[in-house]
């Protein structure tokens, strides 16, 4: 049987499908119509590996220094099982990275993109399953419901590689080559 969004039943399968979308093998995800944003191109190898390691991402952005009024913090969010959440918490605790993890919406948000000095994009908070429900079967929705929703943010505006190196180490992945 061919793995599709409708046939996926586990976080591992959802991570594989997300990795396939990132690498261009699938046209869209339940949460994103179309291919990844152009800014994601340098992150595709590490993001695909992160998804295959059990961190099902639904948002990511690179760190971007101030340019034409915009700047970004590197950030990532998605679903993980409890053991992976514990690994991330332990690995990120001695770093300067910010880790939020929750089952329900805590309401905690962190701005990760500024446009001319004003907050433009925020991360944090449990997104719910609204975008997933039409694409996934009950087993996959149950897997997401049982998972932790994790958000990781680099507090330093524009830093391009730190978050990705720390995550790769936490998930026992090769260190990525990420640059801007």
């Amino acid at each position: 049987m061919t793995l599709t969004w409708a046939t996926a039943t586990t976080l591992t399968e959802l991570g594989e499908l997300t990795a396939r979308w990132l690498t261009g093998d699938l046209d869209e995800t339940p949460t994103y119509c179309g291919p990844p944003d152009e800014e994601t191109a340098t992150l595709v190898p590490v993001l695909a590996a992160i998804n295959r390691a059990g961190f099902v991402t639904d948002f990511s952005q690179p760190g971007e220094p101030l340019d034409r009024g915009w700047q970004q913090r590197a950030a990532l969010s998605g679903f993980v099982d409890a053991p992976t959440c514990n690994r991330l918490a332990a690995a990120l605790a001695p770093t300067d990275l910010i880790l939020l993890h929750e089952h329900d919406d805590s309401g905690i948000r962190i701005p990760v993109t500024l446009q001319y000095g004003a907050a433009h994009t925020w991360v944090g908070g449990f997104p719910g399953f609204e975008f997933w429900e039409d694409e996934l079967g009950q087993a996959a929705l149950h897997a997401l419901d049982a998972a932790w929703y994790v958000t990781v943010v680099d507090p330093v505006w524009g830093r391009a590689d730190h978050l990705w190196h720390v995550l790769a180490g936490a998930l026992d992945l090769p260190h990525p080559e990420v640059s801007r």
Side-chain angles (χ1 to χ4, degrees), residues 130-144:
E130 175 185 347
F131 295 104
W132 298 90
E133 290 174 332
D134 291 340
E135 301 291 328
L136 302 181
Q138 288 302 306
L141 288 170
H142 178 71
L144 290 176

Side-chain angles (χ1 to χ4, degrees), residues 66-88:
L66 184 61
D67 181 33
R68 291 176 283 169
W70 289 88
Q71 66 189 87
Q72 294 184 163
R73 290 176 167 147
L76 175 78
S77 61
F79 297 89
V80 299
D81 61 20
T84 303
C85 187
N86 291 336
R87 281 177 62 195
L88 291 171

Side-chain angles (χ1 to χ4, degrees), residues 53-109:
F55 191 139
V56 181
T57 62
D58 67 349
F59 171 83
S60 64
Q61 72 177 32
E64 294 280 353
L66 184 61
D67 181 33
R68 291 176 283 169
W70 289 88
Q71 66 189 87
Q72 294 184 163
R73 290 176 167 147
L76 175 78
S77 61
F79 297 89
V80 299
D81 61 20
T84 303
C85 187
N86 291 336
R87 281 177 62 195
L88 291 171
L92 274 58
T95 75
D96 63 347
L97 297 177
I98 299 166
L99 173 68
L100 305 174
H101 47 91
E102 53 200 322
H103 272 293
D104 296 314
D105 190 3
S106 66
I108 297 171
R109 304 279 191 275

Side-chain angles (χ1 to χ4, degrees), residues 9-161:
T9 60
T10 65
L11 287 177
T12 300
E13 290 174 346
L14 293 172
E16 177 58 31
L17 289 167
T18 304
R20 289 177 44 204
W21 168 73
L22 285 159
T23 59
D25 293 338
L26 296 176
D27 294 333
E28 59 187 18
T29 74
T31 62
Y32 198 85
C33 296
D37 282 343
E38 184 179 311
E39 72 177 7
T40 305
T42 61
L43 301 177
V44 165
V46 69
L47 287 172
I50 286 169
N51 275 275
R52 288 185 171 118
F55 191 139
V56 181
T57 62
D58 67 349
F59 171 83
S60 64
Q61 72 177 32
E64 294 280 353
L66 184 61
D67 181 33
R68 291 176 283 169
W70 289 88
Q71 66 189 87
Q72 294 184 163
R73 290 176 167 147
L76 175 78
S77 61
F79 297 89
V80 299
D81 61 20
T84 303
C85 187
N86 291 336
R87 281 177 62 195
L88 291 171
L92 274 58
T95 75
D96 63 347
L97 297 177
I98 299 166
L99 173 68
L100 305 174
H101 47 91
E102 53 200 322
H103 272 293
D104 296 314
D105 190 3
S106 66
I108 297 171
R109 304 279 191 275
I110 298 170
V112 293
T113 302
L114 296 178
Q115 180 182 20
Y116 299 106
H120 181 77
T121 304
W122 297 75
V123 296
F126 184 75
F129 303 119
E130 175 185 347
F131 295 104
W132 298 90
E133 290 174 332
D134 291 340
E135 301 291 328
L136 302 181
Q138 288 302 306
L141 288 170
H142 178 71
L144 290 176
D145 188 45
W148 284 88
Y149 190 74
V150 172
T151 301
V152 183
V153 178
D154 186 336
V156 177
W157 293 97
R159 188 163 51 178
D161 59 356

